[in-house]
Amino acid sequence: MRQVIIIGSGPAGFTAAIYAARANLKPLLMASSVETGGELMNTTEVENFPGFPEGIMGPDLMTKMQEQAERFGTEVLYDDVVGLDLSGDVKTVTMGSGAVHEAEAVVFATGSAPRKLGLPGESRLSGHGVSYCATCDGFFFREQVIAVVGGGDSALEEATFLTKFASKVYVIHRRDELRASKIMQDRAFANEKIEFVWNSEVADILGDDAVTGIVLTSTVDGSTRELPLTGVFVAIGNDPRTHLVHGQLDLTPQGTVWVDGRSSRTSASGVFAAGDVVDPTYRQAVTAAGSGTVAALDVEHYLAARGDAGAPTADAGEIDGRTAA
């Protein structure tokens, strides 16, 4: 039986693994059978992660995180979790292969997935003009014409942010009124770089190796037209990956896993959560990594209290051995 199993291989999962491994907890990290690294594997250059002044490709960043976790003794298992039993003192994790693993503690760091349009061109051009994160990729669209798809607060926030870089930002919305808050609407309407395209849905994304335009279908009369542009930001919401814990962990009204205050403690004893699966707001690699740190320290304290681990390497008021201000 393991002391801790970590489910998820994004920044939260691997950061939790680094800290847990350094505490000699010998973590087992469950990565996907298809692709390790979470959403950053679909991101090109990451320029806002501390420590990389020249930027770093998303997959390269995740490779470095995995190498660091493995250096300290993390074992990575390339298989899909298909079932969990989080009740009782011993947690069980069932894999797609049929193997069952047991642990005293579990860190749930499965992240969230952006809702997609479901178009063939969308998957083909993801990372080549199609993006789901304005703060990640906006810089690469300087003086270009781009579009944001959506009508809620997140869509208008992304559109407003993107006007810092793009020469023009279309906001594509299927209705003739927005769901966004009034303050967000007022801000967007006042921005001369933003143009709203009402009663329209994206029917196709054009381009072979990079986005060259989109096909719009009118939701009023069904007519179609092409709109030339070089970038499409899809902002129709994110869904936390919580299907494995439905009925086992409490969720928030936003659908994320509930945690106790600033901790990573969930409603089930010995189960901790970190990263985008607990964060409906920020969803950044650096905040996920910080959340993974919290989870690992919480696990360490939990096991120490049970008498299953040595004294914690850092008190709650310490960071990396330094007393917090």
Side-chain angles (χ1 to χ4, degrees):
M1 182 171 66
R2 300 278 180 159
Q3 289 182 292
V4 58
I5 288 175
I6 299 167
I7 302 172
S9 58
F14 274 124
T15 303
I18 290 167
Y19 273 75
R22 290 184 72 246
N24 201 32
L25 298 182
K26 299 179 175 60
L28 174 63
L29 185 144
M30 307 304 197
S32 168
S33 62
V34 178
E35 184 175 70
T36 303
E39 291 301 309
L40 277 183
M41 299 301 290
N42 299 319
T43 303
T44 52
E45 192 169 10
V46 178
E47 295 188 317
N48 54 5
F49 198 90
F52 298 94
E54 303 301 322
I56 183 171
M57 300 297 287
D60 292 341
L61 177 59
M62 294 317 305
T63 296
K64 289 181 179 295
M65 285 190 181
Q66 179 171 349
E67 289 174 350
Q68 190 171 359
E70 291 178 326
R71 173 193 169 198
F72 293 115
T74 298
E75 181 182 348
V76 178
L77 181 62
Y78 299 97
D79 197 357
D80 297 311
V81 178
V82 296
L84 294 173
D85 184 352
L86 303 177
S87 61
D89 289 338
V90 177
K91 322 300 179 185
T92 61
V93 181
T94 303
M95 311 305 294
S97 63
V100 177
H101 299 270
E102 295 182 338
E104 296 174 84
V106 167
V107 174
F108 193 69
T110 51
S112 68
R115 294 177 194 151
K116 298 187 177 181
L117 299 171
L119 303 172
E122 180 181 16
S123 57
R124 184 181 73 253
L125 295 168
S126 179
H128 300 278
V130 174
S131 174
Y132 304 90
C133 178
T135 52
C136 302
D137 299 327
F139 178 83
F140 302 106
F141 293 87
R142 286 187 178 277
E143 299 304 317
Q144 297 183 41
V145 177
I146 60 179
V148 173
V149 184
D153 276 356
S154 60
L156 295 195
E157 183 177 359
E158 295 222 336
T160 301
F161 174 81
L162 288 166
T163 59
K164 297 179 180 181
F165 309 103
S167 60
K168 188 180 190 63
V169 179
Y170 292 106
V171 174
I172 314 295
H173 190 45
R174 66 177 67 184
R175 292 185 286 273
D176 60 0
E177 59 181 5
L178 300 165
R179 303 186 313 274
S181 61
K182 186 176 185 303
I183 188 170
M184 292 300 299
Q185 292 191 43
D186 290 344
R187 190 175 300 162
F189 289 143
N191 194 312
E192 62 182 12
K193 285 189 174 183
I194 295 177
E195 179 178 331
F196 286 86
V197 181
W198 304 106
N199 298 314
S200 298
E201 292 183 327
V202 179
D204 197 6
I205 300 176
L206 306 175
D208 294 325
D209 301 319
V211 170
T212 58
I214 56 177
V215 176
L216 295 176
T217 299
S218 169
T219 58
V220 176
D221 59 18
S223 61
T224 63
R225 66 185 178 102
E226 291 187 11
L227 188 64
L229 42 76
T230 56
V232 179
F233 286 79
V234 181
I236 56 177
N238 283 70
D239 294 314
R241 296 187 176 100
T242 59
H243 62 283
L244 288 169
V245 297
H246 286 178
Q248 299 195 71
L249 299 180
D250 290 347
L251 304 180
T252 68
Q254 293 88 355
T256 54
V257 174
W258 176 88
V259 291
D260 184 13
R262 295 186 65 187
S263 79
S264 65
R265 296 185 297 271
T266 70
S267 57
S269 176
V271 181
F272 306 85
D276 287 6
V277 79
V278 303
D279 177 11
T281 305
Y282 301 105
R283 297 194 302 272
Q284 297 295 302
V286 68
T287 54
S291 180
T293 301
V294 170
L297 294 177
D298 284 345
V299 166
E300 193 178 351
H301 282 268
Y302 169 79
L303 294 175
R306 285 167 51 92
D308 297 326
T313 57
D315 293 333
E318 294 183 352
I319 303 173
D320 294 334
R322 296 166 295 170
T323 302

